[in-house]
Each structure stands twice: as C-alpha cells, then as structure tokens.
Amino acid sequence: MKYYLEDVREVFKRTESSENGLSQSEAERRLEKYGKNKLAQAKQKSLVKRFFEQLADPMIIILIVAAVISAVTTVYEGKVSGSPSFPTDTVIILAVVLINAVLGVLQESKAEKAIEALQQMSAATSKVLRDGKMVTIHSEDLVVGDVVILEAGDAIPADGRILTSASMKIEEAALTGESVPVSKFIDIINLAPDTKDVPLGDRKNMVYMGSTVVYGRGTAVITATGMDTEMGKIAGALTEAK
C-alpha cells in the first residue's frame, strides 16, 4: 500500500486506527494475529553441514567424479608403463572443489551476519499511544495502527506514515545511502506526470525501520512491521541470495 500518496485520514481508515492510537486489547489481538515486529531469522546450520551442502552441487559432483577417474587412470597407466606418476590433475581438481566450498560457506556466513546487523539497527523500545495514553513498549510488540512518538535520537522501530512533524529530520543512509538527514513533512506526495511511484528516498512523509531521528520530533502511525518493512525486504533478499 502506497501510504505516502494518501491523506492522513485515509491512512487511519486503512490501518483501522486513530490519532489516539489503538486500545491495548486491539493491539494484543493484532500482535497475536500478525506476529512480532522483528526480522525473520534463518535456522543456523553447522559449518560441517554448510560445507557438505556446497559439495552437493551437481557441478561439484561432476568435478569430484572427474578427479576420481583421473586418479584411477593415472594409477593404471603407471602400473602398465612401470613408471608410476603423481596424479597432478586430481590434486588440482580437488583443490578447486575445496576452495569453492570454503568460499561458499564464507559467503553464506556473511549474509547471516548482514541480517544480524540489520536486526541490531532496530529500536529496542518505543513510545506509543495506547488507549490515548503514552506508554513505552518493546519495539517487537508494535503492530500496524500503533501511533509512535518520535524524538531526536530515537531509532525508527517500523515503517510508518508521518502524522506530525516539528522540524523533524531523519538519517536514512542504511536504506538510501544518503548521509544527509532528510527533512520530513506531513503533506501528501503528488506523483509527477507519467510516473507510477516515488523513489524511497523521496517519500518525505514516511519513516522507515533502520533510520534514526537526528533533529526535531513528530508522530507517525505504523503501516508495516517486521518482514513487511523496507528493511525486512532487504533482509529477505539477503536470505534468498545465492
């Protein structure tokens, strides 16, 4: 849903929320239904299992078979000729197979560490409106429709549509690569002629998980949590990358 193209009233309608946030009972119901606001973690595999999974690749199996055939042929020819020779080809092929498997394991480990780094960027706690009152909760308990209160120094706990902004500036380098803080506003973003969407970096009436408030303050209604956030999409791409 492109909330940045919608009026605040329409956003409240779609998220079934209001300026006073959700009731505690409704928040608990949504949390039970949609799950925690956190990035999914892949099951950890042992290094041995990862190594053998790399060897299970069809091309690697062909190389191993070729190495075995080469070794048998070399030994057989050595016996026939009476002058045994060292199976150089076999050693080279096996070395390539081992190096490929080790590099594959290292690459997979890097992807997992990248996801862990993304999770560490998430806020630990958040200030939200529940039953019209401000309370502090664990960020993983946030749900769509929660109204969060943001101040300078706060990490954005989930994606949301900005409701109020008092000179609020947010650093979004983790998502856009832009190191200069972005000034935020509450107005609807209008599409330029012949365009269907707005680049993430230009959605100045939105806040995104993984970014940080560096100046000012404001409020936002949560529109996406966990793996549905932009940061969650990045984490999903990392887990699926080969």
Side-chain angles (χ1 to χ4, degrees), residues 128-167:
V128 303
L129 293 178
R130 292 276 174 90
D131 295 310
K133 299 178 182 179
M134 189 184 78
V135 295
T136 300
I137 65 171
H138 292 291
S139 294
E140 64 178 25
D141 292 334
L142 280 174
V143 295
V144 171
D146 266 327
V147 173
V148 295
I149 299 167
L150 304 171
E151 298 176 335
D154 289 346
I156 307 298
D159 294 359
R161 172 69 159 83
I162 295 175
L163 303 176
T164 62
S165 175
S167 304

Side-chain angles (χ1 to χ4, degrees), residues 84-99:
S85 59
F86 186 76
T88 306
D89 292 344
T90 302
V91 173
I92 293 174
I93 293 173
L94 291 177
V96 170
V97 168
L98 289 174
I99 292 172

Side-chain angles (χ1 to χ4, degrees), residues 57-116:
D57 185 89
M59 186 58 68
I60 297 300
I61 293 174
I62 291 174
L63 287 174
I64 294 174
V65 172
V68 172
I69 294 174
S70 177
V72 172
T73 302
T74 301
V75 172
Y76 178 76
E77 290 177 349
K79 287 184 177 181
V80 172
S81 62
S83 55
S85 59
F86 186 76
T88 306
D89 292 344
T90 302
V91 173
I92 293 174
I93 293 173
L94 291 177
V96 170
V97 168
L98 289 174
I99 292 172
N100 180 79
V102 170
L103 291 177
V105 170
L106 290 176
Q107 192 66 31
E108 191 175 331
S109 298
K110 285 183 178 180
E112 289 185 354
K113 289 180 180 178
I115 294 174
E116 290 174 1

Side-chain angles (χ1 to χ4, degrees), residues 150-156 162 164-173 179-185 204 206-207 211-218:
L150 304 171
E151 298 176 335
D154 289 346
I156 307 298
I162 295 175
T164 62
S165 175
S167 304
M168 188 163 62
K169 294 184 179 181
I170 295 180
E171 187 268 309
E172 300 178 331
S179 59
V180 178
V182 179
S183 296
K184 296 292 183 175
F185 53 70
K204 296 185 179 181
M206 297 288 291
V207 293
S211 52
T212 306
V213 180
V214 295
Y215 187 82
R217 62 184 185 278

